[in-house]
């Protein structure tokens, strides 16, 4: 007779443990922290994309810097760009562009990861928690983007430091990092928009019910 009771108690214990886990998930992160980090990353992004990168584009006669080339770049294109921006432009690429871009990847990863975590907390998209596999996949996207961004920055810095002895292999690795970084960033932003829209629709539906 004790076996069914034990099974029932065990099931209740597991259910209680799951509920406590969902409650713990629901306490972090607070909305104000998510908003503050998103604003901070947005400000730094604006400085990079409206100040430093346009300046490099201007020095290169209109050619896009490595960071914003979704199709990548080959040895000839990399050589042409670094030659076009001159010594002044190469120094500018190191500082302030790459210096600022050293801080952007971790800020991007933390702000997006917490925002995604906030969106998939219990009650946002559904009553319970999103399956752990999906949660881990979503959180991994901005983390991967940050790692690739750092790798790209290291390659670009090495190309500038070793100029004019440009390594074809280094260019190839840098180009691949740029392409994969932009893919990871696109997937992250699309996920943010889709999940935010779904959460808003659910909120409006519950409010109108």
């Amino acid at each position: 007779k004790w076996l069914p009771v034990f099974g029932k108690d065990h099931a209740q214990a597991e259910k209680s443990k799951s509920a406590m886990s969902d409650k713990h998930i629901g306490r972090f992160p607070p909305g104000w922290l998510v908003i503050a980090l998103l604003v901070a990353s947005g400000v730094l992004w604006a400085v990079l994309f409206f100040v430093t990168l346009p300046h490099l584009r201007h020095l290169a006669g209109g050619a896009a810097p490595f960071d914003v080339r979704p199709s990548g770049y080959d040895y000839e294109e990399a050589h042409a760009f670094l030659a076009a921006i001159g010594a002044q432009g190469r120094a500018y690429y190191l500082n302030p562009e790459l210096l600022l871009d050293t801080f952007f990847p971790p800020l991007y990863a933390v702000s997006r990861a917490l925002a995604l975590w906030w969106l998939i907390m219990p009650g946002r998209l559904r009553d319970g928690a999103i399956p752990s596999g999906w949660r881990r996949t979503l959180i991994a996207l901005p983390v991967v983007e940050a790692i690739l961004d750092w790798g790209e920055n290291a390659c670009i810095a090495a190309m500038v430091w070793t100029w004019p002895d440009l390594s074809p292999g280094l260019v190839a690795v840098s180009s691949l990092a740029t392409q994969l970084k932009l893919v990871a960033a696109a997937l992250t932003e699309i996920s943010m928009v889709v999940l935010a829209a779904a959460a808003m629709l659910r909120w409006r539906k519950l409010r109108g019910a």
Side-chain angles (χ1 to χ4, degrees):
K1 292 183 178 180
W2 62 270
L3 287 175
V5 174
F6 174 79
K8 184 177 179 180
D9 291 344
H10 181 71
Q12 290 177 342
E14 288 297 321
K15 185 176 180 180
S16 176
K17 182 179 179 182
S18 177
M20 291 178 63
S21 177
D22 286 351
K23 185 178 180 181
H24 178 72
I25 290 172
R27 289 198 298 264
F28 183 82
W32 66 265
L33 177 62
V34 173
I35 294 173
L37 289 172
L38 287 174
V39 170
S41 67
V43 170
L44 185 51
W45 176 87
V47 173
L48 291 169
F49 281 81
F50 294 109
V51 180
T52 59
L53 289 174
H55 181 66
L56 287 171
R57 184 188 290 269
H58 172 73
L59 292 176
F66 301 128
D67 312 62
V68 288
R69 297 194 186 194
S71 59
Y73 35 90
D74 57 25
Y75 177 85
E76 288 73 21
E77 290 171 327
H79 191 282
F81 179 85
L82 291 173
I85 61 177
Q88 177 188 355
R90 291 191 292 273
Y92 187 89
Y93 217 142
L94 291 175
N95 185 17
E97 166 57 29
L98 288 181
L99 179 61
L100 290 175
D101 204 14
T102 300
F103 299 101
F104 181 74
L107 183 57
Y108 179 89
V110 172
S111 64
R112 284 356 183 238
L114 289 182
L116 287 167
W117 187 262
W118 188 87
L119 287 168
I120 59 180
M121 288 193 304
R124 299 277 188 261
L125 303 176
R126 51 188 287 185
D127 292 335
I130 301 298
S132 60
W134 281 103
R135 293 204 303 264
R136 284 192 291 266
T137 299
L138 287 169
I139 300 306
L141 287 174
V143 175
V144 170
E145 192 280 343
I147 293 171
L148 291 167
D149 201 348
W150 267 330
E152 173 200 53
N153 290 344
C155 289
I156 294 174
M159 286 193 286
V160 173
W161 287 331
T162 58
W163 177 265
D165 297 324
L166 197 58
S167 166
L170 181 60
V171 173
V173 172
S174 181
S175 176
L176 180 61
T178 297
Q179 294 175 76
L180 294 178
K181 174 200 75 171
L182 294 175
V183 170
L187 291 175
T188 299
E189 298 304 313
I190 290 172
S191 298
M192 290 263 297
V193 171
V194 171
L195 292 175
M200 178 61 70
L201 288 174
R202 186 175 190 274
W203 177 78
R204 293 184 64 178
K205 182 179 179 180
L206 293 174
R207 188 181 182 188

